[in-house]
Amino acid sequence: MAHATMTFPPDFLWGTATSSYQVEGDNTNSDWYTWEAAGHIKGDLGAGRAADWWENAERDLDIAAEMGNNAHRLSLEWSRIEPEPSVFDEVAIARYRAILQGCHDRGLEPMVTLHHFSNPLWLVEKGDFNNDIVINYFRRYATKVATELGDLIPKWITINEPMTYCVMRYLTGEFPKPSRLGFGGLFEAIHNLLRCHVAAYHAIKEIHPEALIGTANNIQIFEPRPGGNIIDRWWANLVRRIYNDSWQDALHTGRYRGLVGSKFFEGLAGTYDFVGVNYYTRFYVRFPPPPGFVERDWGPDAVVSDGDYGEVYARGLFKVIDHVWKRYRKPIYITENGVPDAADRLRPSFLLDHLRQVWYAINFCYPVMGYYHWSLVDNFEWDRGWTQRFGLIAIDPQTQERTWRPSARLYREICQSYSLNDEMAQHYAPGMLPVMWPGDLPGSSEPRTL
Ligand code: BGC
């Protein structure tokens, strides 16, 4: 019997998150498809059939339901819905309808992302976010989706991680090449992404005024490297302002503040009903920045995930929630949080520790309404191919065999009981017991010795 329990509200949303290109497979009309073919991906495996969702999403939705989830965040592939300009594929739309209905039938409330890093090839030929023609195209795409599928979509994300997307594409060159590389192209793209968001927000609300709409923001902890000087601190502040805050600030005030100057966008202020937070890690930064922008040296005590992806820093999630609430005063969803960990050596304690931060926040009246773990299943991890595994469920991409990692069983216990308790910690991550309950557990026969 559990001695100590941290209980979540009865209306809390327990989900996982995926994105279309990463799980569907064979998205041949996307810019990622040609980027992969040109050899820009780590490892020998491309997306291929990915997690086979185009044919078989239902197999994993069954697993999500079995895992006690009551929500799922997924994205739509624009290049499937509109494979050529102005040509909408009704078969693809019907398939998405079946997948969304499949979510509802299994008690999984869908949250749907319209743009998650992937573009139709025809749009890229026209210069995509470096050409303001994209705004009308995005409005039309959003209108089509709202008209055909909106009755099944209570929650929307217009754009996933606009800042990550632009940095990886326009500055570091890890994502498919844009028409204008560099800072000029980057800020032009951010402006056009903001205009796309505005267009989609109003288009969806016109058809479904009850829809809840936001964006999923990659918000990390950026700190000056230990022992850093005043310039490192200035740089950390600047990185936080631009990377973490500038996008959501613009949705709040209507004005985007870049590196120099600011720009007002008509109809933008207040175009969000909630803030989506994708939280993964803490980065140290220094000026001038090393190649790749962030330090890869976390210090001797840091717990670092596979492939040097990042430090496990759970307290950062609470800090981000606190920051976002004080800045925007809107409901918060943790739209992504996860760790690449093929052997599941970190994920059980990662889950307990991060969800403890969410529980703590809720108990101090921060309106965190739901948590979507990244990810339900292993999937195609963009430029890192299949070299990093984020799934609660392991997938062999060649055989499509699925295996429950221990953390999937832990997440099931959490979702089913709406709680974290000492029995779970004892079973899945005993090292977390003294972290989560530093005092002697009530009724425990073994008092802790110091
Ligand atoms: C992205 C996901 C990605 C995950 C793990 C997020 O930035 O939205 O698509 O797989 O991070 O790297």
Side-chain angles (χ1 to χ4, degrees), residues 82-99:
E82 193 176 359
E84 286 175 46
S86 315
V87 177
F88 290 96
D89 183 338
E90 299 303 330
V91 175
I93 292 172
R95 175 67 186 129
Y96 279 125
R97 210 174 161 83
I99 293 175

Side-chain angles (χ1 to χ4, degrees), residues 19 22 116-117 160-161 164 218 278 280 309 336 374 379 381-382 384 390:
S19 91
Q22 294 179 272
H116 196 129
F117 295 174
N160 178 68
E161 296 190 356
T164 318
N218 186 293
N278 293 0
Y280 285 90
Y309 179 84
E336 284 181 34
W374 186 274
N379 54 54
E381 182 50 34
W382 305 117
R384 279 160 278 130
F390 280 83

Side-chain angles (χ1 to χ4, degrees), residues 332-377:
I332 298 167
Y333 290 88
I334 309 305
T335 36
E336 284 181 34
N337 172 238
V339 63
D341 181 25
D344 217 40
R345 93 196 140 92
L346 304 174
R347 197 175 287 103
S349 54
F350 180 100
L351 262 177
L352 289 168
D353 212 2
H354 284 76
L355 282 170
R356 178 173 75 111
Q357 306 302 329
V358 174
W359 173 84
Y360 182 83
I362 292 171
N363 279 276
F364 282 86
C365 298
Y366 294 83
V368 187
M369 317 304 287
Y371 173 88
Y372 300 77
H373 190 79
W374 186 274
S375 182
L376 175 59
V377 289

Side-chain angles (χ1 to χ4, degrees), residues 58-361:
E58 288 77 1
R59 165 177 47 189
D60 290 334
L61 297 180
D62 281 346
I63 292 178
E66 198 186 328
M67 211 187 274
N69 291 189
N70 57 13
H72 184 71
R73 177 178 167 226
L74 70 163
S75 77
L76 308 178
E77 189 64 31
W78 187 357
S79 66
R80 279 197 196 273
I81 291 184
E82 193 176 359
E84 286 175 46
S86 315
V87 177
F88 290 96
D89 183 338
E90 299 303 330
V91 175
I93 292 172
R95 175 67 186 129
Y96 279 125
R97 210 174 161 83
I99 293 175
L100 291 169
Q101 187 59 52
C103 289
H104 285 282
D105 293 347
R106 290 164 178 80
L108 304 167
E109 185 198 88
M111 175 186 269
V112 169
T113 308
L114 287 175
H115 185 273
H116 196 129
F117 295 174
S118 159
N119 294 314
L121 280 168
W122 60 261
L123 187 72
V124 176
E125 277 162 28
K126 294 179 191 291
D128 61 88
F129 299 103
N130 290 131
N131 182 348
D132 57 15
I133 201 173
V134 69
I135 302 153
N136 279 335
Y137 284 126
F138 198 70
R139 178 186 295 110
R140 209 177 48 180
Y141 162 55
T143 304
K144 181 77 179 170
V145 172
T147 309
E148 304 276 342
L149 304 171
D151 56 317
L152 297 175
I153 308 178
K155 297 195 172 74
W156 299 69
I157 298 286
T158 53
I159 317 274
N160 178 68
E161 296 190 356
M163 297 310 293
T164 318
Y165 178 63
C166 289
V167 168
M168 305 282 276
R169 189 157 179 228
Y170 295 83
L171 291 188
T172 68
E174 284 148 296
F175 280 11
K177 198 161 167 228
S179 28
R180 262 189 91 194
L181 270 171
F183 280 102
L186 171 102
F187 285 110
E188 184 176 54
I190 293 171
H191 290 174
N192 279 331
L193 277 159
L194 283 167
R195 294 186 181 105
C196 286
H197 166 79
V198 176
Y201 180 89
H202 294 296
I204 298 163
K205 285 279 182 180
E206 201 163 298
I207 301 167
H208 292 286
E210 73 294 353
L212 297 178
I213 306 174
T215 56
N217 307 294
N218 186 293
I219 305 185
Q220 310 307 313
I221 300 291
F222 293 101
E223 289 177 8
R225 64 180 164 153
N229 57 28
I230 189 169
I231 300 179
D232 296 326
R233 287 200 288 282
W234 160 81
W235 176 241
N237 277 334
L238 183 66
V239 171
R240 278 195 289 263
R241 180 174 80 66
I242 300 280
Y243 191 85
N244 283 349
D245 299 335
S246 67
W247 173 272
Q248 192 65 43
D249 284 1
L251 268 55
H252 192 65
T253 63
R255 183 169 284 282
Y256 184 79
R257 255 181 88 212
L259 277 180
V260 279
S262 71
K263 190 168 172 56
F264 181 76
F265 293 88
E266 198 62 48
L268 175 62
T271 53
Y272 67 107
D273 302 303
F274 60 86
V275 182
V277 169
N278 293 0
Y279 173 73
Y280 285 90
T281 189
R282 163 167 65 183
F283 289 116
Y284 291 122
V285 292
R286 71 177 142 103
F287 193 83
F293 280 97
V294 290
E295 297 282 344
R296 292 277 152 194
D297 178 6
W298 286 274
D301 299 326
V303 177
V304 178
S305 55
D306 287 1
D308 265 356
Y309 179 84
E311 179 191 7
V312 176
Y313 181 55
R315 190 64 183 157
L317 180 54
F318 176 77
K319 291 185 184 177
V320 167
I321 292 168
D322 177 66
H323 176 77
V324 163
W325 168 243
K326 290 180 178 153
R327 219 169 166 89
Y328 309 113
R329 304 265 159 186
K330 287 272 180 125
I332 298 167
Y333 290 88
I334 309 305
T335 36
E336 284 181 34
N337 172 238
V339 63
D341 181 25
D344 217 40
R345 93 196 140 92
L346 304 174
R347 197 175 287 103
S349 54
F350 180 100
L351 262 177
L352 289 168
D353 212 2
H354 284 76
L355 282 170
R356 178 173 75 111
Q357 306 302 329
V358 174
W359 173 84
Y360 182 83

